[in-house]
Structures are given as structure tokens and as C-alpha cells.
DNA sequence: GTGCCATCAAGTTG
DNA sequence: CCAACTTGATGGCA
């Protein structure tokens, strides 16, 4: 007990009893004597906090670690399922030839997989009690129908409470990757489902509404891909950081941050709790209750219930369910996760809402009050625990005002409000409030990479599409991308590829064509900033959606021979082929479809050039290296067809909150600092 | 005590 | 504005 256990060991002992793995099963002790239930009689004593009585009856000691002071809980958790992160080997069934691949629309194939999976899931021919669901899946290379077993598991949530503390760096990274991969799958399925529905409607078939979020979560639940279902976690969820952004309630369920689809209070129910009392784990402050008062660090949170379907308070709330759980959590001093649902215009959803994880709060007070409606409501005073990173929601607000009046909010530190000098669509700010370094000011800003002239001449000219209005799926450029476009209608990258072919000057389609994304340049206000830890870094003042294009990695292209000469002088060169193949993770659905095979894209020759950023550069070269990055490289061609010289385009690998540092996996050992050392 | 099932309550999304 | 949607908790019954 108490020793730091690397997750690798835990993986070896997934079913071992908790004592053997160092896990701490949090047992709620029996209350002796049992306190008075908190009931409607308090309604007669309005505004009188009734907690002192309860606190006296119960020492405010952590019931889960009765022998420890609250500050010495150095234990390492425990027991995480491997679910969703098994390295599922991509099945090596007969790979399609490149020609077949071009003819057969990859998109269509995935849609089919999706459709058949759904038709089974929604009843289909099999009784629900059947342990497996047998989806009928078309196998393109044989043009026949094959049966693939897709596991159908709908496991119940566990009631065992655990708290996760002091994860090592490796563990943090591991869980972060699990969470990211899970969210990537969710997003892929969601978008796919929406596209599928759109298609059906185009054919005059589908009449159902599009709820990609619901369908994605449902499929993932069938595949047992929801996270943290085998334990109920009190406190922070491994792999989820304060400030992380979510666009759907379902997404919160899938990662295990909040397990209620609609309700604002998530809790371990009394019936499953070890002492027969419910314990709250998380709340969502969504603005749905008129009696809520949100002051950031302190929230007056209203319990749930008592509303009619128009969200109007129509009767008294009762101390049951989540309301009782919050009260019990207060009694035991158990912290709750707080997620805020706030209006944010940059959100992709129709209601323009975003959910922000804001960290842990303690319930300090609880009373029964008369709400604005005149009906009785339960109120809870939540106070944010000290020592946590800044709240995501306040960062969001700060960034919003920073966009319009940077100098008012940060009078000191801005060296430039646009180092691109209006060469980019959006300004690139330069901020340093740490030291006197001004280096980024002294370089020529290069918006697009400069390729040598022969790169253009060597490529086959005139291979563009003939679409006059908008490009459709039978467009020549779609074929070049394996029968599908790389982007959805919002310009988000759907699936990573060795190379993405955008429409370009050889095409007849207009500039607004959906297959032109990266060539239009920046979509966000970026900021180069100085930090103690990483020197120069890059962050965005806007929220960047997962899959969104951020910027190009620009510089002057050098051939191998030129690079060899230049590097003798010790200049900084970037080698494109060194970037790790993160694109392969993007849109990978092998976890979902048993026979999912990544399409055999046309082979891409190894890239044999270097990018010199010693004189001309753009914002990208200030990005920090990370082996758990939030930005990835996707090679893109648009202004020529030379596979040897693609553009290095950077895309977001997750929803990146404003002001969070962007990082890139330069694909090299940690000791090599790929980010330019500007100081020397 | 346990397992199954019907019912209910919880807001979000398009 | 409203219809469609889903999960988890609970209580009754076998």
C-alpha cells in the first residue's frame, strides 16, 4: 500500500483483488450514530444552514482514508481497465489493390458498416438477450457479404468508489492517450453518422433526425468503449485535464466525467453504496435552474427536480436521488467534479454550448430555500478547492475579451499585435512578459512554404477536377483521396491519410469548394508567447476544434544536397519525414468495426527534403515538442501534384481550449529540442 | 437476498 | 417551439 504502482503492472493484474494491486477501495464507513435525515422539516427553518448539527455528529474526516489526514493521501490508485486501448491489430486480410480502392468508395464502405451495425443494434433479427450481435458486413474485395462478430456488451456501471492520486508522468500520458483516442472515436462516429443521415435524406429515405452524438455513444457502449465504468471515480478523472472542452453531454458519459445523460448530478446510488447512502461524484452547472448563482470559485448550486417540462419550477424539490447524494457528500467532505455548460459562439453544436471541466469543489453548505418561483429548492454552496489550475471557463471568458482588446487586458508584454504584418488572415500576436527576448520579431514571416521550381515542373500538370459548382463524391479529386473527401462540411479532417489532395489551380471548382481547406490559411488568432518552461510556445486565442486545420509549417525547402551543405553551418533544419505518423491515428475505427482495414492508399515516396527556417518562418516553428501532442502533421497537396513535395499542414488532434499551449510530436528523442533555440 | 423488468425522471439537440 | 431521444435509479415482483 502506498507505493507508486506503474500502470504496466496493473495491466498484468486486471482481476486481482484490490489489496494485491495497491488499489484502494473506498469504503464508506457505517454511520454511528446515524444522523437525522435531511427532510422537509427544514423548510420551516429557511435560510438557516443546517449543517453544523450534522458536522458535529460526524467528524469531518475522510471516510475513505480514515487513518490519514486529508493532506497525506499519497496513495496511488488502482485498477483501470484496459478498455478502449487494447492495441487492436489491424487485420491483415487481403489488402485491396490501389485500383480497386479508387473504384470502391471508402466512405461508402464505412457507411455500410455503420448502417448494418445500427440495424442490428436497434433490434434487427436477433433477440436482445443474444450475447453477440452478428452484423452483416460487406467485404468489398470479394463483393460479397461476410459475417463478422461484433461484441455486444452493455455492462452496468460499477459502484466501487475510488480516488486517483499522484499519477506518474507515464501514467498521465497513458490515460491522456486513452481519453483522446476514445474521444476521437466518438467524433469519427458522430460525424460519420451525420453524413450517413444526410446522404439518406438526399435519397429521400431518412426521416429521422440526426443525433450523431447519441448514435456514436450507443455504438461505443455496445463495444464496451466507454471509459471508467468499472470504477466510480471520486475526484479527477485520469486523462481529463481542467479546461478540457466537450460539445456533447454524451461525450461526458463516454469518458466517464459525468455519467448522467440529462441529470445534472451524478452519484453512486444508495442501493449500490457500501453503507446504503448515495455519494455524489460530479455536477454540471448548466444554467437550467434560475436559483443558481455562479461566482466562479463559489457556486450556489440548486438541486434537481421539481420542474415541469418547460424548465419552470412547479413544485417542491425532495431530498432524494442526486440531492441527497450531494448532502451526503458534504457530510463526508467528499469533493465533486464541476462541469460548466456555457454558451460559446465558437461551438459546433446548434445550441452553441460547450461543456468545460472546471475542477474539484467541496460542498460547504446545504440548505432548503424558497426559490424565485416560490417553490422549495435545495441549495448547495460549492467552493473550489485551492491549488488547481485556472478554471477553464474563466480562461474561455478571458480569451474572448482578449480577442477584442488585448492591450486593455494585458497592458504589458505584447511586442507585436501581428508578427505576420497582415500576411495572414488573422493576426499572429507576440507576447513576452517574462524576459527581454524579442527574437521572433527579427525574422521574415513566410506564409507559405517555398518549394524549388522543379517541384512544380516535375508533377503532372492539369490533373484537376471539372466540377463547376461544388465538388461531389464522384469528383476526380475525391477519387484521388480514395473515393472520399478528407474534410467534412465544416472543414474538419475526417480521416488522416498519407497525403490529402485538395482541389487547386488545375480544378474548375470555386474557391469555396469544401475540398479546399488548408490553402485558405489561418482560421484562428494565434499567439507566440514566452514561458519559463518551454521558451517560446504557441497558443490560440480561439477554441480550436479537433480535426481543424491550424496552420502550415513553413520554411524554405532544401534538397538533400543543399541541406547537407547548410547543416554543416549548424543551422536549424526540419526534416518532414521525421514527424511521427500521427495522421494514422486520426479517424481510425478499427476498434468499432471488426474488419476495419485502413484503406490501401497509393504509396507515398519517402520525403527527401528539409525545411530551412533559419531566415524565413511562420508561427509553426515556435511550437513545443511533446510526445503526447495536441497537434499533428498531415501532408497536403494543392498547388502542384508532386508527391515528393507536400505541404506540412498542422491539424488539431483534440479540442484545444483557448490559451492552451499547442504541441507537436517532432518524432525525435526527447533530448533533442526541435523547437528553435532562439536565444543563441 | 437476488435478478429481471417496467416505470420514471433527468435536459439536450436539431 | 417541440419532438425525439437515452441512461441510470428505483421499486415491485417472481
Amino acid at each position: 500500500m502506498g507505493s507508486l504502482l506503474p500502470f504496466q503492472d496493473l495491466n498484468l493484474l486486471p482481476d486481482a483483488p484490490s489489496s494485491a494491486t495497491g488499489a484502494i477501495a473506498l469504503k464508506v464507513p457505517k454511520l454511528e450514530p446515524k444522523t437525522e435525515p435531511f427532510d422537509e422539516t427544514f423548510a420551516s427553518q429557511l435560510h438557516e444552514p443546517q449543517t453544523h448539527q450534522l458536522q458535529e455528529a460526524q467528524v469531518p474526516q475522510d471516510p475513505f482514508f480514515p487513518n490519514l489526514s486529508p493532506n497525506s493521501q499519497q496513495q496511488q490508485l488502482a485498477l483501470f481497465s484496459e478498455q478502449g486501448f487494447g492495441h487492436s491489430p489491424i487485420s491483415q486480410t487481403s489488402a485491396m489493390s490501389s485500383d480497386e480502392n479508387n473504384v470502391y468508395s471508402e466512405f461508402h464502405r464505412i457507411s455500410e458498416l455503420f448502417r448494418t451495425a445500427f440495424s442490428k443494434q436497434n433490434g434487427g433479427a436477433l433477440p436482445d438477450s443474444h450475447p453477440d450481435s452478428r452484423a452483416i458486413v460487406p467485404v468489398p474485395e470479394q463483393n460479397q457479404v461476410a459475417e463478422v462478430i461484433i461484441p455486444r456488451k452493455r455492462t452496468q456501471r460499477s459502484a466501487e468508489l475510488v480516488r486517483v492520486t499522484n499519477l506518474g508522468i507515464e501514467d498521465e500520458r497513458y490515460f491522456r492517450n486513452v481519453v483522446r483516442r476514445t474521444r476521437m472515436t466518438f467524433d469519427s462516429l458522430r460525424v460519420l453518422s451525420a453524413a450517413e443521415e444526410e446522404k439518406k435524406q438526399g435519397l429521400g429515405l431518412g426521416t429521422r433526425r440526426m443525433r450523431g452524438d447519441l448514435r456514436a455513444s450507443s455504438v461505443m457502449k455496445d463495444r464496451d468503449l466507454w471509459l471508467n465504468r468499472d470504477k466510480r471515480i471520486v475526484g479527477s478523472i485520469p486523462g481529463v485535464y481542467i479546461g478540457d472542452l466537450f460539445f456533447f453531454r454524451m461525450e461526458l458519459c463516454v469518458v466517464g466525467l459525468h455519467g448522467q445523460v440529462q441529470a445534472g448530478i451524478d452519484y453512486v446510488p444508495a442501493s449500490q453504496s457500501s453503507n446504503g447512502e448515495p455519494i455524489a461524484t460530479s455536477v454540471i452547472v448548466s444554467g437550467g435552474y434560475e436559483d443558481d448563482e455562479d461566482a466562479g470559485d463559489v457556486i450556489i448550486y440548486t438541486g434537481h427536480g421539481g420542474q415541469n417540462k418547460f424548465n419552470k419550477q412547479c413544485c417542491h424539490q425532495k431530498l432524494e436521488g442526486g440531492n441527497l447524494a450531494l448532502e451526503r457528500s458534504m457530510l463526508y467532505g467528499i469533493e465533486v467534479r464541476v462541469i460548466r455548460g456555457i454558451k460559446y459562439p465558437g461551438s459546433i453544436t446548434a445550441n452553441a454550448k460547450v461543456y468545460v471541466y472546471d475542477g474539484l469543489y467541496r460542498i460547504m453548505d446545504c440548505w432548503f430555500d424558497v426559490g424565485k418561483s416560490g417553490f422549495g429548492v435545495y441549495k448547495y454552496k460549492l467552493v473550489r478547492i485551492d491549488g488547481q489550475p485556472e478554471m477553464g471557463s474563466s480562461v474561455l471568458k478571458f480569451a474572448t475579451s482578449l480577442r477584442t482588446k488585448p492591450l486593455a487586458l494585458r497592458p504589458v508584454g505584447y511586442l507585436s499585435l501581428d508578427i505576420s504584418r497582415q500576411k495572414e488572415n488573422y493576426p499572429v500576436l507576440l507576447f513576452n512578459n517574462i524576459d527581454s527576448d524579442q527574437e521572433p520579431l527579427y525574422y521574415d514571416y513566410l506564409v507559405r512554404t517555398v518549394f524549388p521550381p522543379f517541384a512544380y515542373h516535375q508533377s503532372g500538370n492539369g490533373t484537376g477536377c471539372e466540377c463547376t459548382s461544388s465538388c461531389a463524391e464522384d469528383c476526380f479529386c475525391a477519387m484521388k483521396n480514395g473515393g472520399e473527401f478528407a474534410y467534412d462540411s465544416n472543414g474538419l479532417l475526417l480521416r488522416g491519410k498519407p497525403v490529402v489532395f485538395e482541389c487547386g489551380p488545375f480544378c474548375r471548382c470555386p474557391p469555396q469548394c469544401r475540398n479546399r481547406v488548408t490553402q485558405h490559411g489561418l482560421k484562428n488568432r494565434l499567439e507566440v508567447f514566452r514561458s519559463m518552461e518551454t521558451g517560446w510556445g504557441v497558443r490560440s486565442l480561439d477554441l480550436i476544434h479537433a480535426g481543424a486545420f491550424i496552420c502550415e509549417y513553413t520554411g524554405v525547402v532544401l534538397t538533400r544536397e543543399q541541406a547537407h551543405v547548410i547543416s554543416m553551418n549548424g543551422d536549424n533544419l526540419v526534416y518532414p519525414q521525421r514527424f511521427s505518423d500521427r495522421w494514422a491515428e486520426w479517424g481510425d475505427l478499427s476498434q468499432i468495426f471488426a474488419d476495419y482495414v485502413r484503406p490501401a492508399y497509393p504509396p507515398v515516396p519517402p520525403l527527401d527534403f528539409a525545411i530551412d527556417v533559419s531566415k524565413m518562418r511562420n508561427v509553426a516553428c515556435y511550437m513545443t515538442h511533446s510526445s503526447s501532442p495536441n497537434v499533428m502533421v498531415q501532408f497536403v497537396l494543392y498547388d502542384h501534384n508532386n508527391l515528393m513535395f507536400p505541404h506540412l499542414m498542422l491539424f488539431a488532434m483534440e479540442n484545444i481550449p483557448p490559451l492552451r499551449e499547442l504541441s507537436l510530436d517532432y518524432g525525435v528523442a526527447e533530448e533533442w529540442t526541435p523547437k528553435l533555440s532562439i536565444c543563441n
Side-chain angles (χ1 to χ4, degrees):
Chain A
M1 293 286 267
S3 68
L4 222 71
L5 227 93
F7 68 87
Q8 286 89 344
D9 289 350
L10 294 177
N11 293 344
L12 297 174
L13 299 164
D15 296 313
S18 44
S19 57
T21 59
I24 294 155
L26 305 181
K27 300 280 186 227
V28 180
K30 207 79 177 159
L31 272 188
E32 248 0 295
K34 195 148 170 59
T35 50
E36 286 285 315
F38 200 78
D39 63 23
E40 263 77 355
T41 57
F42 289 126
S44 60
Q45 303 162 33
L46 298 180
H47 301 286
E48 275 296 312
Q50 296 299 319
T51 54
H52 54 279
Q53 207 179 343
L54 300 173
Q55 283 170 346
E56 276 168 18
Q58 184 70 29
V59 183
Q61 183 188 40
D62 191 322
F64 299 147
F65 303 103
N67 301 323
L68 293 169
S69 70
N71 294 329
S72 69
Q73 292 151 7
Q74 303 296 308
Q75 279 78 359
Q76 164 84 354
L77 142 88
L79 292 177
F80 274 90
S81 74
E82 268 279 289
Q83 54 180 319
F85 206 57
H87 226 52
S88 46
I90 295 172
S91 54
Q92 296 297 321
T93 51
S94 53
M96 286 180 284
S97 81
S98 176
D99 279 350
E100 279 168 333
N101 188 45
N102 279 343
V103 174
Y104 194 93
S105 155
E106 166 66 9
F107 176 80
H108 174 69
R109 180 169 160 264
I110 297 298
S111 299
E112 279 298 298
L113 285 165
F114 206 63
R115 193 182 56 72
T116 49
F118 271 129
S119 66
K120 290 298 161 196
Q121 169 216 330
N122 294 336
L126 288 169
D128 270 356
S129 56
H130 197 283
D132 291 327
S133 181
R134 283 168 186 274
I136 306 301
V137 179
V139 178
E141 52 267 53
Q142 292 160 7
N143 219 9
Q144 293 177 346
V145 167
E147 260 193 332
V148 175
I149 299 171
I150 295 170
R152 183 190 178 92
K153 282 163 89 175
R154 283 205 171 232
T155 50
Q156 268 209 326
R157 274 215 291 187
S158 155
E160 188 182 353
L161 278 173
V162 296
R163 183 184 279 126
V164 187
T165 53
N166 291 4
L167 286 181
I169 291 173
E170 280 304 311
D171 297 343
E172 287 279 3
R173 189 172 296 155
Y174 168 79
F175 287 120
R176 185 64 178 175
N177 281 332
V178 173
V179 167
R180 184 173 51 213
R181 183 173 164 142
T182 303
R183 297 183 68 183
M184 222 150 63
T185 306
F186 177 86
D187 247 0
S188 295
L189 290 171
R190 186 181 60 79
V191 174
L192 207 55
S193 138
E196 166 71 14
E197 204 68 37
E198 233 170 61
K199 210 172 174 185
K200 263 204 231 159
Q201 281 179 351
L203 296 169
L205 293 171
T207 51
R208 305 237 315 256
R209 279 155 191 269
M210 287 185 273
R211 282 296 297 268
D213 56 326
L214 299 184
R215 295 173 128 218
S217 67
S218 177
V219 168
M220 290 180 74
K221 197 169 189 198
D222 278 352
R223 306 296 182 280
D224 209 9
L225 292 174
W226 286 28
L227 301 179
N228 302 314
R229 306 208 87 218
D230 55 341
K231 294 282 177 296
R232 296 293 295 261
I233 298 177
V234 164
S236 45
I237 300 286
V240 176
Y241 301 158
I242 288 176
D244 278 353
L245 302 173
F246 302 81
F247 294 106
F248 297 90
R249 283 291 289 254
M250 273 303 178
E251 208 177 349
L252 300 173
C253 295
V254 171
V255 302
L257 195 58
H258 186 83
Q260 298 287 334
V261 181
Q262 293 192 232
I265 307 167
D266 194 18
Y267 61 101
V268 178
S271 58
Q272 295 175 44
S273 172
S274 53
N275 73 339
E277 294 184 299
I279 298 293
T281 52
S282 57
V283 298
I284 297 185
V285 189
S286 207
Y289 285 84
E290 58 192 1
D291 297 310
D292 281 358
E293 292 167 47
D294 189 355
D297 284 347
V298 179
I299 306 168
I300 306 299
Y301 188 78
T302 312
H304 61 194
Q307 287 189 335
N308 63 16
K309 61 176 177 173
F310 305 110
N311 268 12
K312 278 273 170 211
Q313 215 67 41
C314 63
C315 39
H316 300 304
Q317 292 186 344
K318 293 179 185 143
L319 192 64
E320 59 187 23
N323 295 353
L324 180 61
L326 275 178
E327 190 268 337
R328 292 287 102 180
S329 281
M330 175 190 74
L331 175 67
Y332 293 122
I334 296 168
E335 70 274 23
V336 290
R337 296 183 289 273
V338 168
I339 300 119
R340 280 191 174 79
I342 52 181
K343 286 272 176 199
Y344 191 81
S347 165
I348 36 169
T349 53
N351 63 4
K353 214 169 191 182
V354 65
Y355 296 96
V356 193
Y357 175 52
D358 266 346
L360 304 176
Y361 284 64
R362 260 185 224 294
I363 309 153
M364 304 305 284
D365 214 340
C366 161
W367 66 99
F368 193 70
D369 202 351
V370 172
K372 291 180 175 141
S373 60
F375 292 100
V377 293
Y378 280 91
K379 287 192 170 177
Y380 305 87
K381 183 183 180 189
L382 309 183
V383 178
R384 193 160 192 264
I385 296 176
D386 286 337
Q388 301 182 86
E390 198 180 352
M391 280 193 296
S393 55
S394 38
V395 174
L396 273 177
K397 277 180 206 148
F398 182 73
T400 304
S401 13
L402 202 57
R403 289 195 297 246
T404 51
K405 36 183 182 178
L407 295 176
L409 276 101
R410 286 176 173 163
V412 181
Y414 275 115
L415 304 178
S416 165
L417 292 182
D418 186 8
I419 56 170
S420 88
R421 292 169 212 238
Q422 300 191 328
K423 286 181 191 162
E424 299 274 21
N425 312 330
Y426 288 85
V428 179
L429 300 98
L430 179 63
F431 183 76
N432 181 359
N433 61 348
I434 288 179
D435 55 33
S436 58
D437 201 320
Q438 303 192 343
E439 286 290 319
L441 287 177
Y442 306 141
Y443 291 89
D444 282 335
Y445 196 94
L446 184 65
V447 179
R448 285 174 222 293
T449 289
V450 177
F451 291 103
F454 72 86
Y456 296 87
H457 301 147
Q458 279 178 357
S459 61
N461 282 341
T463 51
C465 67
E466 298 291 321
C467 309
T468 46
S469 54
S470 62
C471 290
E473 270 164 48
D474 53 353
C475 146
F476 180 69
C477 293
M479 293 302 176
K480 285 199 285 189
N481 285 301
E484 63 177 358
F485 286 117
Y487 311 113
D488 76 350
S489 50
N490 295 314
L492 302 180
L493 186 69
L494 290 172
R495 203 187 332 273
K497 295 165 189 290
V499 178
V500 166
F501 296 87
E502 291 193 5
C503 291
F506 306 122
C507 303
R508 299 184 61 185
C509 58
Q512 311 89 284
C513 161
R514 65 177 274 199
N515 194 32
R516 298 167 183 263
V517 171
T518 64
Q519 55 191 276
H520 292 317
L522 294 194
K523 285 278 185 293
N524 302 294
R525 278 154 279 230
L526 300 178
E527 178 174 287
V528 178
F529 72 103
R530 189 91 176 139
S531 80
M532 294 294 195
E533 298 81 25
T534 57
W536 293 106
V538 181
R539 57 196 178 193
S540 168
L541 302 189
D542 306 280
L543 190 174
I544 305 178
H545 285 101
F549 169 65
I550 299 175
C551 67
E552 180 168 0
Y553 198 112
T554 72
V556 177
V557 166
L558 303 178
T559 61
R560 195 199 325 197
E561 294 74 27
Q562 292 170 320
H564 185 69
V565 174
I566 297 267
S567 59
M568 304 280 237
N569 301 332
D571 278 304
N572 273 306
L573 298 180
V574 174
Y575 294 91
Q577 78 273 17
R578 281 196 195 160
F579 285 104
S580 61
D581 283 347
R582 295 279 173 172
W583 59 266
E585 295 171 28
W586 194 255
D588 177 10
L589 287 175
S590 54
Q591 289 185 104
I592 301 295
F593 303 117
D595 77 333
Y596 178 84
V597 187
R598 190 160 272 285
Y601 295 106
V604 174
L607 300 179
D608 201 23
F609 66 93
I611 295 181
D612 179 5
V613 289
S614 60
K615 294 178 182 61
M616 301 170 78
R617 54 175 67 163
N618 75 340
V619 55
C621 74
Y622 299 105
M623 280 189 200
T624 308
H625 168 75
S626 168
S627 53
S628 180
N630 52 18
V631 178
M632 66 175 182
V633 175
Q634 166 69 66
F635 298 124
V636 176
L637 288 177
Y638 67 88
D639 53 350
H640 61 71
N641 282 314
N642 193 333
L643 283 171
M644 297 294 290
F645 294 98
H647 291 269
L648 276 63
M649 297 303 192
L650 307 187
F651 286 81
M653 293 189 75
E654 53 191 55
N655 297 324
I656 305 177
L659 298 178
R660 182 175 286 180
E661 180 158 12
L662 308 184
S663 61
L664 195 52
D665 186 350
Y666 286 80
V668 287
E670 290 278 353
E671 58 269 18
W672 189 73
T673 307
K675 207 180 42 145
L676 297 171
S677 51
I678 310 292
C679 306
N680 308 314

